Amino acid sequence: MPLQTEGIVIRNGRIRSLYFILEIYCPPIANQIKPGQFIMLKVSEDSSPILRRPFSVYKSYPDSHPEKQRRGCLFVLYKKVGKGTEKMTALKRDQKVNLIGPLGNGFSLPPLPSSADIALIGGGVGIISLYPLAAALKGRRLSVFIGGKTRSDILCAEDFKKLDSIISVATDDGSLGFHGTVVELFSSEIKTFKKNEKCYVYSCGPVAMLEALARKVKSKRFICEASLEARMGCGFGACWGCVVKTNDPKTPYQRVCKEGPVFSLEDIVWK
Ligand SMILES: Cc1cc2nc3c(=O)[nH]c(=O)nc-3n(C[C@H](O)[C@H](O)[C@H](O)COP(=O)(O)OP(=O)(O)OC[C@H]3O[C@@H](n4cnc5c(N)ncnc54)[C@H](O)[C@@H]3O)c2cc1C
Ligand code: FES
């Protein structure tokens, strides 16, 4: 059940170039949020920007978490791209912030056959929403594909390594890892997956990336979910500002914030 609530900033700082990490003490959301769900955050106390901004929760520490000093906290890893995220960089320790969450439907975690291949494919900040999923799948061997324009856009690799994942990196400019897109990299690795087993693919990234991925995984062998990035007004289903076209004849337009952000990749109609 989403809540509108207050959190307290514990820290907010740059990790590198345009990327920052914000730690918020907010037990009601830290206790509930599931992989793939998101929050809407009021990024400054003044009226500009008026609208909250959507963010994935990178890490959350519920009351049951073994790290006692972190309990109740959630982490947002964000990229400064515009007015709202610029203001967000000025949030200070002990400042109160208003947030709504958990929002949307996260990744479904059906019982995955123990021998099945599992691939996580993230482009840019999209990889952030896949980290909680990887943590929930701890113990499974995951193939993680991380893409970005350049090496400074490659996020979260160290955290995925700690989960014992196999990490492959792609950059558009070739400054790190494979020279090309993350979907091209994934395509070149498909041959290493078991041919007679289902392959579970979880992805998040820009629309062009997800569209390219959808073309590569047409075979029934792939079970694919994608978390969509959309511009959002309200974040909880009221404004219909975030709709996406789907193949469902009953509800051809669905709200990314409400019915998503996670959809079955084959259900999306790309423009
Ligand atoms: C469910 C969800 C989870 C997200 N999680 C994260 C996250 O964990 N970390 C993170 O850094 N960002 C995340 N984003 C994107 C983030 O919400 C936007 O970057 C942010 O709203 C930009 O606000 P702004 O005021 O700084 O930019 P604006 O001034 O509003 O826009 C600046 C530029 O960013 C583009 N932009 C703005 N919002 C989006 C969007 N939603 N998708 C694609 N492009 C956008 C605009 O087209 C414009 O070019 C997420 C978005 C969604 C929908
Ligand atoms: S952002 Fe308002 S309905 Fe989705």
Side-chain angles (χ1 to χ4, degrees), residues 231-243 255-258:
R231 302 221 60 182
M232 290 186 180
C234 65
F236 47 78
C239 72
W240 288 80
C242 62
V243 291
R255 295 160 293 184
V256 174
C257 69
K258 187 78 177 174

Side-chain angles (χ1 to χ4, degrees), residues 50-164:
I50 191 98
L51 296 173
R52 292 179 173 78
R53 296 292 192 254
F55 293 97
S56 303
V57 168
Y58 178 41
K59 293 179 184 174
S60 64
Y61 295 83
D63 289 342
S64 56
H65 199 275
E67 285 182 56
K68 277 191 185 162
Q69 72 284 8
R70 290 243 159 100
R71 285 180 187 168
C73 292
L74 45 91
F75 288 73
V76 173
L77 200 174
Y78 66 99
K79 183 177 186 183
K80 184 172 72 167
V81 292
K83 193 172 169 183
T85 43
E86 164 95 59
K87 285 219 167 166
M88 211 167 145
T89 63
L91 291 172
K92 295 272 178 302
R93 186 180 167 85
D94 294 330
Q95 195 171 334
K96 286 186 180 153
V97 281
N98 193 283
L99 58 163
I100 305 179
L103 290 162
N105 293 305
F107 294 101
S108 63
L109 282 174
L112 306 178
S114 57
S115 54
D117 286 303
I118 308 172
L120 274 52
I121 308 172
V125 294
I127 193 68
I128 297 164
S129 76
L130 297 174
Y131 179 72
L133 174 71
L137 291 168
K138 197 172 176 192
R140 295 295 303 257
R141 197 93 173 125
L142 308 176
S143 300
V144 180
F145 298 87
I146 310 178
K149 287 199 173 85
T150 189
R151 62 184 304 143
S152 62
D153 297 316
I154 300 302
L155 302 172
C156 317
E158 291 308 314
D159 278 330
F160 280 107
K161 269 184 206 152
K162 287 183 197 148
L163 295 174
D164 214 14

